[in-house]
Amino acid sequence: MAGFIHDKLDVKLLVLYILDRAAAPIDFATLTDLSMCDSGVDYFQFAEAVAELTGSGHLKQEGEFYAATDKGHRACAAGESSLSPVIRQRCDRRLAPLNEALKRQAQVRAQVEERPQGFDVRLSMDDDGGSLFSLTLLAPTREDAQRIADGFLAHPDRIYNGLLGVLLTGGEGGASR
């Protein structure tokens, strides 16, 4: 067989390696894409390996998302040296942009909650040190609330910097004392 992956055990180790290093749970399609990093990976063998790892308690599935359990992390640590260094490097390169996006997604949040007078839109943004920004706005309709939430999620840095700019500038447009 061509490639570095030769059997189902290799595929299981590959899946555990990926989920051990993912910054957050990932869906099956993303896991599939990340796992197809070698010509020796067969989709059907991969799907069977994921089902077996889930059944054995190495992976947990919550809705559409998969994550390694403590048992899976231990198995990965014990067996990852059996994976080719080439495969580990490919996985690490492919995981880097995904982990960056997952980290950003975890640090920027927007929630819409119905209230008697309209809809609260809760916006928050963190960095590695903790909370940077938290704001709750009232919107008259669910559509307006969702537009606010989507706009914040699309451009959190612009909104944060714009708000700071308004609050910290003196003179024109600033608050009077």
Side-chain angles (χ1 to χ4, degrees):
M1 223 179 204
F4 295 97
I5 303 293
H6 300 288
D7 56 28
K8 192 189 302 181
L9 180 59
D10 289 341
V11 175
K12 287 181 177 183
L13 283 171
L14 175 64
V15 169
L16 288 172
Y17 184 86
I18 290 167
L19 289 173
D20 185 60
R21 282 158 178 74
I26 56 177
D27 63 24
F28 188 78
T30 303
L31 181 58
T32 302
D33 182 53
L34 291 168
S35 297
M36 297 297 156
C37 63
D38 185 72
S39 60
V41 179
D42 172 78
Y43 174 80
F44 297 104
Q45 194 175 51
F46 158 77
E48 192 174 289
V50 170
E52 289 176 11
L53 286 167
T54 303
S56 67
H58 288 85
L59 303 182
K60 63 181 172 186
Q61 181 181 4
E62 293 178 3
E64 300 175 24
F65 295 89
Y66 290 84
T69 62
D70 288 340
K71 182 177 181 180
H73 290 296
R74 287 191 304 273
C76 180
E80 76 179 52
S81 63
S82 300
L83 277 178
S84 160
V86 171
I87 294 298
R88 292 194 309 257
Q89 288 172 351
R90 283 181 194 166
C91 287
D92 292 343
R93 275 195 314 271
R94 296 177 80 172
L95 273 165
L98 173 67
N99 279 340
E100 188 175 312
L102 289 171
K103 184 177 177 182
R104 177 183 167 119
Q105 183 180 17
Q107 291 179 326
V108 177
R109 295 171 306 285
Q111 297 173 314
V112 174
E113 187 176 327
E114 188 168 6
R115 296 282 184 215
Q117 66 275 28
F119 294 85
D120 274 350
V121 186
R122 298 183 193 286
L123 311 173
S124 60
M125 184 166 72
D126 302 333
D127 68 1
D128 293 335
S131 177
L132 286 177
F133 173 80
S134 180
L135 177 67
T136 301
L137 300 169
L138 180 64
T141 67
R142 181 173 296 282
E143 293 77 26
D144 288 341
Q146 195 59 55
R147 283 184 34 225
I148 292 168
D150 292 344
F152 178 71
L153 292 173
H155 305 287
D157 51 339
R158 287 176 45 196
I159 292 166
Y160 175 74
N161 290 329
L163 184 59
L164 277 181
V166 169
L167 294 173
L168 295 175
T169 57
E172 297 173 32
S176 60
R177 291 185 175 211

